[in-house]
Amino acid sequence: MDKAYNHKNVEEKLYALWEEKGYFKPKIDPKKKPFTIVLPPPNASGKMHTGNVLMIAIEDLLIRWHRMKGDPTLWLPGTDHAGFETQVTFERELKKQGKSRFDFDRESLYTAIFQFVKDNKGAIEAQIRQMGASVDWSRYTFTLDETVVTTVYNTFKKMHDEGFVYRGEHMVNYCPKCGTTFADLEVNHIERKDPLYYMKYGPFTLATVRPETKFGDTAVAVHPNDKRYREYIGKEIEVEGLNGSFKLNVIADSYVDPKFGTGVVKVTPAHDKKDYEAGLRHNLEIKSVIDWNGKLNEKAGKYAGLPVKKAREVIAKDLEEKGLLEKVDENYTHTVAVCYKGGHDIEPMIIPNWFIKVETLKKPALDAVKNGSVKIYPKWREKTYYRWMEEMHDWPISRQIVWGIRIPVWYKIDKNALNLWVVWLDKNKQTQQGNLQTFLNEGISLEEVKAGLQRVMTLSFKGHAAPTYLVAVDDPTVPGDEEKQYVQDTDTFDTWFSSGHWPLVTLGYPNSEDFTYFYPTSVLETGWEILRLWVSRMIMFGLYLTGKPPFAYVYLHGIVRALDGRKMSKSLGNVINPEEYIEEFGVDALRMGLISGTANGKDFAFPRDKVIAYKHFGNKIWNMARFMLFISEQEKITIPQFSRDIEKKMTKDDKDILKAVKKLSASVNMNLEKFRFAQAGEEIYHFMWHELADKHIEQVKTREDKGVALSVLLHVYMTSLKLLHPFMPFITEEIYQKLPGHGDSIMIESWPTQ
RNA sequence: GGACGCUUAGCUCAGUUGGUUAGAGCGGCUCGUUUACACCGAGUAGGUCUGGGGUUCGAAUCCCUAAGCGUCCACCA
């Protein structure tokens, strides 16, 4: 053995050995209860970050522990297509080549992104291996695998048939830059200073940050008890505007805060959430003035075509010139909704989207945690779960992006095709857009439109009949049959809709052997930040489809922050790349260091000192093994197998250390059962270093009966080494192989029985 | 505005149903290179557990209260 442990000679070699010999595959025994974890799928085209490392460290710890105990143990690996994130990354690549997604028809774009993901997915898989994750690669799943798509389609169809799916014309969070809708959860609110314009509005003055939406105003509102304006309520007023004067009704609604501004609000139902709701209450017209690209449309008259922000400046200037601007408060601070990905301003808009009614689905998911059939650790996170489930509202599941599972909705080409708006590339790669029926009337074939199709939209405003559609897993089009021509919706599912099926699809739901044997799984381990986005949805789908929650325990780890305790972010330049730590200190030390940082599920700063400490610890136990080999060589003895015979000859020191290691073993088991990983790890660390090495080994040096002493020492050392293996798999296995007495056995399968 | 969490050694943090002298890692100081390991050993200093009040035989731990910090949710024309 080398004088110092060098992780670089060990890690890759051992992983290959374990994998090759099939140790990661479960030993199915119908009489035994299996232990199962599904790996939260990392982004297939991404790279490992510190959060992934912690996740793998904890899950591998649980998995190895159960496997060593002899449970049929399965850890299911997989990767996620990460719809939105991947498309954004890909588009960035396109931009470097001077292209954009608009240069492609939908299908070609999808194919190109798929290729991009294939080209890049090797990295994350290699890193999962590098981390020592003992996953069963033969059961690998990618979230766009045929089986996943089919399952997702079947669920959607079932939900649709049972009335849980509807085409909603709600106000959604739309990001014009990203070109897609976001769920409320994917929207961030940031504080920002924006000018607050006090503009003259008929007989009133009102305050607004968004003068550019005034063309979409369909009422003016005041508070019902506001004495200042009581005489106007219910009356029509005339307003002088930039595009001539117009008339509006004054409504009374208690959503108006009389203390804000002047107590008068312009109501723009098409572009503001609260106004939209007020519009519904008062049956107001919804007048949309912003298009999908974030520009003012023809209703804005001469301002049509201007992007929202530019329009705001121009309009403010024009208002001033016309004497319609009373004053501007430049120091007004408010919160603005921005998309979580790019930080762009969210434009609340009315865009038809597919929604899931959650009212009846959420109740069982809430109860499952309340009645303990799913237990959440740390327990205080349950409160967050309850609150979220209680206030959960309908879930928009369609995204206006290409990369993902395409919604299996087929619009019929019939008289309502007039209400299908299509954007497509013609033979000359020129973008065409308009009513599908109009194109067909011009003699363009449906096939031609479909071949260049980029997007299908259903028109959503009053006076338009909804298109006829059907939900089908396969294309219902029958060639040549006029009556059976369809075009598929171009939206894709929200990633969380498909990943909500993860425990089901990885196990081959609904009727594979694996599913029967392993479902429900044992523990779901992930970061707390996706409790609501992901965990709650898995519970919901699991209960909906199988009647059983998909896992018995949820363990939520904290988020790894940067060294300075702040969130890691590219702009702060404090992102920690785990590769560097693996290179310098080894995977074992990194894993153990991270685990010791997350004791109570709170967020924590990257514990650099602990990673170093555990690297030193690795070297310490390495040298303890060297010590035994050294002594046996010096004394020219082979270390006797620990046996009854040896036990009879033990000294008090021997008996004490034996007793101590038994106590340690009991404590480690107990702590692991209670998800107290850091505690378990620290106890092993303390025992091996400060009891076994510092005290007991010093005592062994003075012993006459070296045979007995070494036999006991080796036995105790091996026991603690096994306890340590789930935490630090590589070094423990390497030492195990180097010490005498193991025969053909391998560490991965031998938990100490006490 | 609502919820959750935190405040313990110089720094970063553990501390389980209340129970001896409150622990770890890093850092500091003093010794030490003897038969594994300097990625080491033997010692040592350092804490009125954020302040105040209460319950208790006993409180870092439970309750009330004040302050500070952090995170999440909702909302702001």
Side-chain angles (χ1 to χ4, degrees), chain A residues 167-231:
Chain A
R167 181 81 172 155
E169 308 208 335
H170 289 189
M171 178 147 279
V172 291
N173 307 298
Y174 184 77
C175 173
K177 284 251 167 61
C178 303
T180 188
T181 296
F182 287 106
D184 287 348
L185 284 168
E186 295 166 319
V187 170
N188 292 330
H189 298 267
I190 56 161
E191 245 189 28
R192 196 170 69 195
K193 212 189 254 184
D194 276 312
L196 181 64
Y197 302 95
Y198 283 76
M199 55 195 249
K200 287 189 182 147
Y201 212 83
F204 308 115
T205 296
L206 56 78
T208 180
V209 285
R210 304 207 56 185
E212 76 279 8
T213 62
K214 67 176 291 189
F215 310 109
D217 296 351
T218 52
V220 171
V222 298
H223 193 274
N225 300 335
D226 196 331
K227 287 182 189 132
R228 291 172 292 179
Y229 308 114
R230 191 170 277 170
E231 54 177 303

Side-chain angles (χ1 to χ4, degrees), chain A residues 47-116:
Chain A
K47 282 188 89 181
M48 179 105 32
H49 58 260
T50 47
N52 296 144
V53 178
L54 174 61
M55 167 181 94
I56 285 176
I58 295 172
E59 291 172 27
D60 199 37
L61 163 57
L62 285 168
I63 285 286
R64 285 180 188 267
W65 172 47
H66 279 275
R67 188 187 291 118
M68 287 171 89
K69 285 203 298 184
D71 297 333
T73 301
L74 172 61
W75 190 8
L76 287 154
T79 47
D80 188 25
H81 65 281
F84 183 70
E85 210 172 315
T86 304
Q87 180 158 336
V88 169
T89 313
F90 181 76
E91 284 184 43
R92 218 173 281 139
E93 293 296 309
L94 280 183
K95 204 173 173 187
K96 286 183 198 159
Q97 304 163 27
K99 293 187 208 159
S100 88
R101 68 169 183 271
F102 302 106
D103 301 331
F104 296 82
D105 64 79
R106 192 188 189 287
E107 190 141 355
S108 310
L109 183 60
Y110 182 89
T111 310
I113 300 177
F114 213 139
Q115 193 55 49
F116 170 78

Side-chain angles (χ1 to χ4, degrees), chain A residues 550-703:
Chain A
F551 26 73
Y553 294 92
V554 174
Y555 180 82
L556 299 166
H557 62 249
I559 310 306
V560 189
R561 308 269 195 92
L563 292 168
D564 55 12
R566 291 192 292 177
K567 266 189 181 170
M568 288 189 206
S569 84
K570 279 182 192 153
S571 56
L572 287 173
N574 59 2
V575 176
I576 291 166
N577 176 10
E579 294 280 341
E580 291 165 22
Y581 282 82
I582 292 171
E583 170 73 18
E584 191 172 356
F585 306 108
V587 168
D588 287 329
L590 177 60
R591 286 173 48 148
M592 189 77 166
L594 282 169
I595 281 178
S596 73
T598 186
N600 50 17
K602 281 184 307 187
D603 295 354
F604 61 104
F606 184 86
R608 186 169 198 280
D609 287 347
K610 297 221 163 154
V611 175
I612 298 169
Y614 283 113
K615 148 107 176 145
H616 293 175
F617 176 59
N619 196 56
K620 185 71 187 180
I621 62 172
W622 178 261
N623 275 286
M624 288 164 76
R626 278 185 73 220
F627 172 76
M628 285 181 272
L629 296 176
F630 179 87
I631 298 290
S632 71
E633 194 179 322
Q634 184 184 267
E635 302 280 324
K636 298 194 169 45
I637 51 169
T638 47
I639 303 173
Q641 186 80 33
F642 185 70
S643 64
R644 295 251 153 198
D645 201 39
I646 295 285
E647 274 188 86
K648 281 181 206 151
K649 296 176 189 160
M650 289 196 303
T651 65
K652 182 169 185 304
D653 284 314
D654 292 335
K655 286 176 191 162
D656 285 350
I657 199 74
L658 203 59
K659 217 165 120 188
V661 80
K662 281 184 182 167
K663 203 177 144 200
L664 172 73
S665 174
S667 177
V668 167
N669 276 300
M670 185 270 286
N671 279 311
L672 291 183
E673 260 151 36
K674 295 188 174 174
F675 298 93
R676 295 203 289 248
F677 311 121
Q679 180 69 19
E682 273 162 32
E683 281 178 13
I684 300 168
Y685 173 92
H686 182 265
F687 175 82
M688 291 188 83
W689 198 318
H690 300 300
E691 298 300 324
L692 197 55
D694 288 350
K695 299 198 181 109
H696 190 76
I697 284 187
E698 289 308 311
Q699 172 270 143
V700 167
K701 289 177 185 174
T702 67
R703 291 272 288 270

